[in-house]
Amino acid sequence: MTILTSEQLEQWRDDGYLVLPGFYSEQDTQEMLDRAQQLCIDFKIEGHPLTTFKTEADGEHVGDDYFLGSNDKIRYFLEPSALSPATPTTPAKLLVPPSQSINKIGHALAPLDSIFHKHTLSSSRITQLAKELGEHESPRVLQSMIICKQPRIGGVVPCHNDSTFLYTDPPSAIGCWIALEDCTPDNGCLSFLPGSHKLSRTASRFVRAQGGGTTFEAVPGIEPNEEKWDEMPGWRQAPCKAGTLVLIHGSVMHKSPPNTSDKSRLIYTFHMIEGGKGVIFDEKNWLQPTQDMPFPALF
Ligand SMILES: O=C(O)CCC(=O)C(=O)O
């Protein structure tokens, strides 16, 4: 079984991302979609700490214990606009039904959920894909999650590269992003700046802050880019059908707009980092393996 043509490999190296339509069969995609929808239906707000998934776009980044301790759990992070703002006298309240309030569910779906395990760690096609890419000697899987992008309230994902958030020395992250539903400009498909992985330097990394929470820290010896990525010409949208797998190089700049439509945009994603070759994943990173759950090896 060969997955990638030489043209696709060349495109991956040139662009820093690669769209693979029909990577998963209709049946496999439906199985993951059913499971993702069931996880949303099963969500109970009672006892939840109301942790929202905030990015820089919200002026603040998520970083409480519920988030930082999620490497070996299946936890729910809420869409900021699904909640009314808390005041000194009134706690925040959900403005939509719980199943529609979720921004993402993670970060251990691949190791813990039997359906996502089957289509990630036990998938011969994923293993073959990683081997054909040839970027990792010993790939480890981490941050496996569902991103919901809910109808009308699903928020923006600002321009970023993934190695900032899953930092290794040297950078080695690659994302596998799988559309479980059709993704369009209206419901928030991805956009990429092709070739930016060759220019962008990971000069800052997302870490656990010393006093608690999270922050960004400069990577010693790496000069930050001067480019204003978001304003550069050449951005390309990547609309795709359910079942498509999009490969994302850890240095490529990408983003997604809010979901302004009435259609949901459920996706499943996980990342791979190099677990060999002397590549370091250190204890500063926001996501930490535990003794009971190290990042699983793909092969
Ligand atoms: O799903 C999205 O809209 C954004 C995902 C993304 O940026 C990522 O996985 O790095």
Side-chain angles (χ1 to χ4, degrees):
M1 161 179 67
T2 306
I3 293 179
L4 298 174
T5 62
S6 51
E7 288 78 18
Q8 284 173 319
L9 272 171
E10 200 178 313
Q11 202 176 348
W12 161 249
R13 289 184 193 126
D14 285 350
D15 292 346
Y17 74 101
L18 184 66
V19 179
L20 297 171
F23 183 88
Y24 286 99
S25 68
E26 260 178 52
Q27 195 185 342
D28 289 349
T29 308
Q30 190 63 47
E31 188 172 49
M32 287 189 277
L33 177 61
D34 288 346
R35 183 73 189 123
Q37 287 171 332
Q38 192 59 51
L39 284 167
C40 290
I41 291 166
D42 291 346
F43 174 53
K44 303 264 180 305
I45 193 70
E46 294 75 26
H48 187 273
L50 301 185
T51 304
T52 54
F53 185 72
K54 289 199 183 97
T55 63
E56 282 158 292
D58 307 298
E60 193 189 338
H61 236 291
V62 61
D64 64 2
D65 290 347
Y66 184 78
F67 178 71
L68 295 176
S70 60
N71 173 61
D72 55 357
K73 313 258 178 351
I74 297 176
R75 286 186 165 167
Y76 294 81
F77 305 97
L78 308 183
E79 194 61 60
S81 58
L83 288 170
S84 65
T87 70
T89 50
T90 343
K93 269 218 273 317
L94 268 195
L95 301 169
V96 294
S99 63
Q100 291 164 35
S101 69
I102 305 155
N103 172 298
K104 62 172 65 176
I105 306 172
H107 291 99
L109 286 172
L112 290 181
D113 183 274
S114 61
I115 300 296
F116 290 104
H117 189 285
K118 174 175 158 191
H119 296 300
T120 313
L121 296 166
S122 298
S123 161
S124 54
R125 281 179 64 74
I126 290 292
T127 300
Q128 179 66 14
L129 178 64
K131 287 188 175 166
E132 287 179 28
L133 277 181
E135 306 262 0
H136 295 139
E137 191 174 90
S138 174
R140 305 288 156 132
V141 170
L142 71 172
Q143 201 191 25
S144 48
M145 60 186 172
I146 291 159
I147 303 179
C148 296
K149 202 76 103 169
Q150 302 282 353
R152 294 173 300 280
I153 61 166
V156 64
V157 174
C159 176
H160 68 284
N161 77 19
D162 291 345
S163 283
T164 300
F165 295 91
L166 297 172
Y167 180 77
T168 59
D169 183 12
S172 67
I174 294 181
C176 289
W177 183 102
I178 297 121
L180 303 182
E181 298 181 293
D182 294 350
C183 299
T184 67
D186 287 343
N187 72 358
C189 69
L190 293 172
S191 293
F192 292 90
L193 187 58
S196 51
H197 64 304
K198 294 181 184 166
L199 301 172
S200 86
R201 295 182 291 274
T202 300
S204 158
R205 53 184 291 204
F206 187 56
V207 296
R208 293 178 177 224
Q210 279 198 336
T214 51
T215 187
F216 289 91
E217 183 181 281
V219 175
I222 305 291
E223 190 66 23
N225 284 90
E226 281 176 10
E227 286 88 345
K228 292 199 171 19
W229 301 112
D230 221 2
E231 294 165 21
M232 284 177 75
W235 278 89
R236 243 187 253 155
Q237 287 180 327
C240 61
K241 293 273 177 215
T244 300
L245 184 147
V246 184
L247 277 170
I248 306 177
H249 189 284
S251 295
V252 78
M253 304 311 293
H254 59 289
K255 60 185 176 180
S256 68
N259 183 354
T260 52
S261 78
D262 291 334
K263 292 205 170 82
S264 58
R265 197 227 63 177
L266 281 166
I267 68 99
Y268 167 61
T269 181
F270 63 90
H271 285 76
M272 300 178 287
I273 53 167
E274 176 63 71
K277 290 191 200 163
V279 170
I280 298 165
F281 181 99
D282 69 25
E283 70 291 342
K284 287 186 176 178
N285 281 326
W286 72 271
L287 189 70
Q288 286 297 319
T290 55
Q291 225 164 23
D292 287 346
M293 198 178 288
F295 299 141
L298 195 54
F299 53 80

